[in-house]
Amino acid sequence: MKKVLVIMGSDSDLKVMEKCIDRLKSFDIPTEVRICSAHRTPAVAEQLAKNAAADGFGVIIAAAGKAAHLGGVLAAQTILPVIGVPMGTSVMGGMDSLLSIVQMPKGIPVATVAIDGADNAAILAAQMLALADEGLAAKLQQFKTDMANEVIAKDEKIRAQFA
């Protein structure tokens, strides 16, 4: 199975990104977690992206706040899919991060989830990997079935409460 590379711009992103890491682990997806700054360690970012496919990764998830250039810097150096997770910030509540990630120039796409949408980033990465992995596809199908059953159970409970 291909691995997922999770890169955060700062250790302050870890609290949010733990949801991503935990979700990837729940699908038994091998995951490597790194801290790398698009601005303070650009050479490291370049090497991580350039070597990711050869190192067995199938998807890169990049979490960044404020200027939030990390996902774009990585995407410019690889053909692997990159998923950007905009971090909530004290500046505009994270809208600055969202806009920085989603407004990529032609030819450098970065799939983008919601502000602090770490869990969805992991699910999207799993869906990408599942295109070539039937076992992972089955786990995702079960995950979606479990979510639906949870909503059905809550609906039944509330309907009984107000019947």
Side-chain angles (χ1 to χ4, degrees):
M1 173 186 293
K2 295 280 186 181
K3 303 181 289 184
V4 173
L5 178 57
V6 176
I7 305 176
M8 296 172 281
S10 169
D11 61 348
S12 63
D13 301 331
L14 183 57
K15 184 174 181 178
V16 170
M17 292 308 293
E18 283 177 334
K19 297 170 189 156
C20 175
I21 297 160
D22 290 345
R23 178 67 65 197
L24 291 166
K25 288 180 180 179
S26 78
F27 291 128
D28 299 317
I29 296 172
T31 305
E32 185 174 322
V33 181
R34 299 288 303 267
I35 294 174
C36 177
S37 169
H39 303 106
R40 294 179 294 263
T41 58
V44 174
E46 179 181 353
Q47 288 307 304
L48 282 170
K50 282 184 175 179
N51 296 327
D55 290 341
F57 295 100
V59 179
I60 298 171
I61 298 175
K66 299 191 179 175
H69 293 133
L70 183 58
V73 167
L74 297 168
Q77 301 294 332
T78 185
I79 62 167
L80 293 178
V82 176
I83 302 168
V85 181
M87 294 286 101
T89 66
S90 59
V91 180
M92 299 171 55
M95 283 298 295
D96 53 329
S97 307
L98 174 65
L99 294 173
S100 292
I101 295 171
V102 80
Q103 291 292 86
M104 292 302 302
K106 180 180 178 182
I108 312 295
V110 175
T112 310
V113 296
I115 297 167
D116 292 341
D119 197 44
N120 270 352
I123 295 165
L124 181 56
Q127 290 174 325
M128 291 172 175
L129 295 177
L131 293 171
D133 186 322
E134 291 180 18
L136 181 54
K139 289 177 185 178
L140 278 162
Q141 187 57 58
Q142 185 60 55
F143 170 74
K144 295 218 175 205
T145 299
D146 291 347
M147 280 194 313
N149 288 338
E150 185 178 322
V151 172
I152 290 167
K154 288 178 181 180
D155 177 54
E156 289 172 356
K157 181 179 177 182
I158 199 112
R159 287 172 61 199
Q161 181 179 346
F162 292 101

